[in-house]
Amino acid sequence: MSCLMAGIYKAYDKKMINPNIAILISGYGKNMEAIIQSSKNNDLKAIIKIVIANKDCMGIHTAKELGFKTLIINRKEMISKNSFEKKLLSILVTNKIDIICLAGFMEILSKEFIKYWDNKILNIHPSLLPLFPGLNTHKRALKLGMSVHGATVHIVTEHIDKGPILSQGVVRVFKTDNEKKLKERVSKIEHILYPKTISEFIKNLNNNQINDIDIEKSKNNEKNIDTLMSINV
């Protein structure tokens, strides 16, 4: 990995006017769609340059139908993790990507890959981190009898789901909830939270700081969605 990185395009600090974003997915791509819609509405001032998947999935077909450049780098067809990341890096470099947004991307990235992008890889996780890192978050929240649950947008580091938190969205958990119902409510707030956080992240990078993301009541009419919460980084 280090050999590939040496002497080529580096993730760089610059004034980000309509930065190039790559969205990495593995599944349905609903958060991807939310980011795309925010960009189309000009709420997110960024260019969705490419959508990349690590396998054939519904989200990649949706992105293609919406007119976006897409690519599948099938992890199972690659000889090793290193070869997968080399190809991924090459594509990102060719497309002059500034920010990477993971949106249900089910691939653990290496320390070297993450370091290369210098705190410009974002992820959304379906829990109120540091609670419930990893998988099956809704099931675990219900099992422990949590009264609230939600989603977190954070910067990706080598420590899985432990990077600096940028924002969180909270939903109430009801006694009548099952995993499906809870997941649906968390997903709704994810689709508001992620695009807004990306937008604020870009603004704060341009100001050379990562400050508070404004607390604001969700505009969604679902009464079960409470609020978007800011977290200092």
Side-chain angles (χ1 to χ4, degrees), residues 145-221:
M146 301 297 294
S147 60
V148 293
H149 189 41
T152 302
V153 180
H154 65 94
I155 295 172
V156 174
T157 68
E158 63 184 285
H159 305 292
I160 299 172
D161 296 333
K162 293 184 179 179
I165 292 173
L166 298 176
S167 64
Q168 295 184 304
V170 180
V171 301
R172 293 191 294 274
V173 180
F174 299 102
K175 291 180 180 180
T176 56
D177 273 338
N178 55 33
E179 193 174 346
K180 182 181 177 182
K181 289 180 181 178
L182 186 55
K183 180 180 179 180
E184 286 174 352
R185 289 207 308 282
V186 171
S187 292
K188 286 178 181 178
I189 205 168
E190 285 181 18
H191 302 159
I192 301 168
L193 185 69
Y194 205 5
K196 179 175 178 59
T197 305
I198 297 166
S199 180
E200 293 296 325
F201 179 76
I202 292 167
K203 290 177 186 177
N204 289 331
L205 278 179
N206 285 334
N207 293 329
N208 296 315
Q209 61 186 1
I210 299 178
N211 285 335
D212 290 345
I213 290 175
D214 293 336
I215 298 174
E216 114 174 5
K217 289 289 183 181
S218 167
K219 295 176 183 178
N220 194 293
N221 290 326

Side-chain angles (χ1 to χ4, degrees), residues 6-187:
I8 63 173
Y9 172 90
K10 180 72 172 67
Y12 49 92
D13 289 314
K14 66 174 185 177
K15 198 76 171 178
M16 290 193 178
I17 307 301
N18 295 325
N20 292 330
I21 288 179
I23 306 175
L24 274 55
I25 63 172
S26 297
Y28 290 101
K30 294 302 181 182
N31 274 307
M32 172 202 74
E33 289 186 58
I35 295 168
I36 288 172
Q37 189 59 52
S38 182
S39 177
K40 284 185 174 181
N41 294 342
N42 207 32
D43 295 324
L44 172 59
K45 300 185 187 307
I47 299 167
I48 312 302
K49 199 72 183 284
I50 190 169
V51 177
I52 302 173
N54 64 344
K55 62 180 181 179
D56 191 11
C57 59
M58 186 176 292
I60 206 77
H61 296 287
T62 300
K64 188 176 291 187
E65 288 171 5
L66 291 171
F68 289 90
K69 184 176 181 180
T70 62
L71 180 68
I72 299 172
I73 308 176
N74 196 317
R75 173 65 180 88
K76 291 183 178 180
E77 294 177 358
M78 306 301 289
I79 297 172
S80 65
K81 182 183 183 69
N82 188 53
S83 61
F84 171 79
E85 289 192 343
K86 280 184 177 181
K87 185 167 184 179
L88 177 59
L89 179 64
S90 176
I91 297 300
L92 295 171
V93 166
T94 299
N95 285 276
K96 298 183 179 176
I97 297 303
D98 298 303
I99 298 170
I100 300 170
C101 296
L102 308 183
F105 185 62
M106 304 303 287
E107 188 74 36
I108 297 173
L109 298 168
S110 70
K111 176 182 178 180
E112 291 78 16
F113 186 94
I114 292 167
K115 185 177 181 182
Y116 179 80
W117 288 97
D118 191 26
N119 295 320
K120 294 183 183 67
I121 305 177
L122 307 185
N123 183 49
I124 187 158
H125 181 77
S127 80
L128 296 173
L129 293 173
L131 295 173
F132 312 122
L135 302 175
N136 302 314
T137 60
H138 311 306
K139 182 178 180 179
R140 290 154 65 194
L142 289 169
K143 186 175 181 180
L144 283 182
M146 301 297 294
S147 60
V148 293
H149 189 41
T152 302
V153 180
H154 65 94
I155 295 172
V156 174
T157 68
E158 63 184 285
H159 305 292
I160 299 172
D161 296 333
K162 293 184 179 179
I165 292 173
L166 298 176
S167 64
Q168 295 184 304
V170 180
V171 301
R172 293 191 294 274
V173 180
F174 299 102
K175 291 180 180 180
T176 56
D177 273 338
N178 55 33
E179 193 174 346
K180 182 181 177 182
K181 289 180 181 178
L182 186 55
K183 180 180 179 180
E184 286 174 352
R185 289 207 308 282
V186 171
S187 292

